[in-house]
Amino acid sequence: MLESARVEARQTYNGAPPMSELVAESGVTWLEYRKTLTPDYARAWREVAVCYSMLFGGYALNIVVAVVWGTVAGLAVAPLAALWIGFWLHGLNQFAHEGAHGNLARDRKKNDLLADWLIWPLFAQTVRMYRKSHMQHHVHLGDHLDTEINYYECMDPWFLIKGVTGVQMVLMVVRYVLKPKAPPAGQSAPAAQRDALMALARTGLIHGSLIAVPAVFHLFGPAAAWLLGLAAVYPCFGTTRQILEHRDLPAPCSKDFTKIEHGPINRLFGDDLFSRYFGAAGLNRHLLHHWDPGISYTRLPEMEAFILRTPYAAEIRDSRSTYFRVASAMLQTALQK
């Protein structure tokens, strides 16, 4: 009976239990407890700084190699540098997502200003643009109105080819930047279009400079590394992460989720160093984020501890896995005839 109630609740609340009705063994309700979970803004910005340091540290190291040991050495390490750059771009992007949920500063205007000028310039959007689209992902996870549907993709050889060739970046740009969208609330369509073009131009200038400047000085390795990291590795990591978070494990590649509803699926991943930055800003605890998107990632461990004292503890344990295990299972499914 309890399991039946859990399934019904997940279907009703888009994959989440009815959090407003959740009560711990101590009698404390979730609505009472969540008031204590104030964001740790300093921690969030420390981790943003880590991502930036790693991103530009790897880029600078590739430049040093090219200057000291020459063009051939710079090109030789470029693939590793591209992998590094793409990984940390992907990690940094998750803090832009945290800004869309208003968890980078206490004041919403300050939160949006900081996100727009310190994170979003690398990603061709603004917090206002992304927030409107992203909130529909939370409301419509698994149905045909979902705005983030990378989990429709199957992890087959074609998916890997799209990643390494940059096709995935083209698809991402078309889906999230160039595809017409309704303007955010309170903003006219011309103003929204102007903001989108300015965001795209700003991002193009930044990344173009990071590629063109070393190329002008014949540092072709660092230029190639940034280009590959941006155009191939970063979008491939982003799509892969969303697939691992939301795709149904047994779903064959032949299943077309543009015609069949996928349904809401969320998972919990590890807390090791790789998982904390591959699923940065708490996306390694993705199930919890979808159960209550208003909670800062810095307080998700406390949220998890609370739920483990409720009737939904078993669901937390059953949803726990690792990125490696889920990826392995999906690859096995993709390779089955």
Side-chain angles (χ1 to χ4, degrees):
M1 181 68 71
L2 181 59
E3 183 59 34
S4 175
R6 287 194 187 119
V7 171
E8 183 179 354
R10 289 183 65 186
Q11 292 170 344
T12 305
Y13 293 86
N14 196 27
M19 298 296 287
S20 62
E21 302 171 15
L22 210 58
V23 182
E25 295 167 347
S26 61
V28 178
T29 69
W30 171 245
L31 294 182
E32 292 172 324
Y33 185 71
R34 80 186 303 278
K35 294 176 184 177
T36 69
L37 302 181
T38 55
D40 183 347
Y41 303 113
R43 175 188 165 187
W45 285 106
R46 285 196 302 270
E47 293 183 8
V48 168
V50 168
C51 288
Y52 267 119
S53 298
M54 292 296 185
L55 173 63
F56 286 107
Y59 178 64
L61 183 59
N62 195 192
I63 290 175
V64 169
V65 169
V67 169
V68 174
W69 287 286
T71 300
V72 173
L75 287 169
V77 301
L80 285 176
L83 190 65
W84 183 267
I85 289 166
F87 180 87
W88 290 106
L89 275 173
H90 171 257
L92 184 61
N93 179 257
Q94 306 322 308
F95 291 93
H97 161 270
E98 185 74 357
H101 284 279
N103 287 323
L104 293 179
R106 190 179 306 278
D107 177 74
R108 179 56 67 95
K109 288 185 178 179
K110 184 178 180 182
N111 171 90
D112 290 3
L113 189 66
L114 289 170
D116 277 342
W117 287 102
L118 297 181
I119 305 176
W120 280 112
L122 289 176
F123 303 107
Q125 291 200 65
T126 65
V127 70
R128 193 175 186 182
M129 293 162 54
Y130 177 72
R131 181 180 287 136
K132 179 177 176 62
S133 171
H134 180 65
M135 293 311 166
Q136 295 306 303
H137 169 60
H138 282 280
V139 173
H140 293 289
L141 175 63
D143 70 33
H144 287 152
L145 294 179
D146 195 349
T147 52
E148 297 178 13
I149 55 173
N150 285 328
Y151 59 91
Y152 285 12
E153 298 244 21
C154 184
M155 292 182 67
D156 59 6
W158 169 234
F159 169 76
L160 299 175
I161 291 170
K162 285 191 295 183
V164 299
T165 58
V167 171
Q168 197 66 45
M169 171 58 93
V170 174
L171 294 175
M172 188 171 71
V173 169
V174 169
R175 184 178 298 161
Y176 295 115
V177 180
L178 301 181
K179 186 178 179 180
K181 300 179 181 71
Q187 188 177 37
S188 66
Q193 185 177 34
R194 180 200 63 217
D195 287 353
L197 290 174
M198 288 181 63
L200 184 60
R202 178 177 64 177
T203 299
L205 178 63
I206 292 171
H207 290 295
S209 299
L210 290 166
I211 295 166
V213 170
V216 166
F217 291 96
H218 300 100
L219 302 173
F220 299 115
W226 194 275
L227 177 61
L228 289 172
L230 172 69
V233 180
Y234 157 63
C236 189
F237 277 147
T239 303
T240 299
R241 179 184 51 76
Q242 287 193 10
I243 292 172
L244 299 178
E245 289 165 352
H246 294 307
R247 187 175 172 87
D248 187 20
L249 278 178
C253 293
S254 58
K255 205 162 188 178
D256 185 355
F257 289 115
T258 63
K259 299 176 181 176
I260 305 167
E261 279 204 352
H262 181 281
I265 290 175
N266 290 298
R267 296 185 175 93
L268 277 169
F269 299 98
D271 202 33
D272 56 280
L273 186 61
F274 170 82
S275 298
R276 289 207 310 271
Y277 283 99
F278 182 72
L283 295 191
N284 58 322
R285 287 185 164 92
H286 207 67
L287 176 140
L288 299 177
H289 175 63
H290 271 266
W291 280 16
D292 192 333
I295 301 300
S296 164
Y297 85 93
T298 61
R299 307 309 300 270
L300 291 182
E302 291 97 322
M303 177 181 176
E304 182 176 345
F306 177 90
I307 297 173
L308 288 172
R309 301 192 297 271
T310 74
Y312 283 85
E315 186 148 356
I316 291 290
R317 289 190 285 266
D318 292 345
S319 299
R320 201 183 305 279
S321 189
T322 67
Y323 288 113
F324 178 77
R325 283 204 299 267
V326 175
S328 298
M330 287 186 176
L331 286 170
Q332 288 175 21
T333 299
L335 294 173
Q336 290 173 358
K337 299 295 183 181

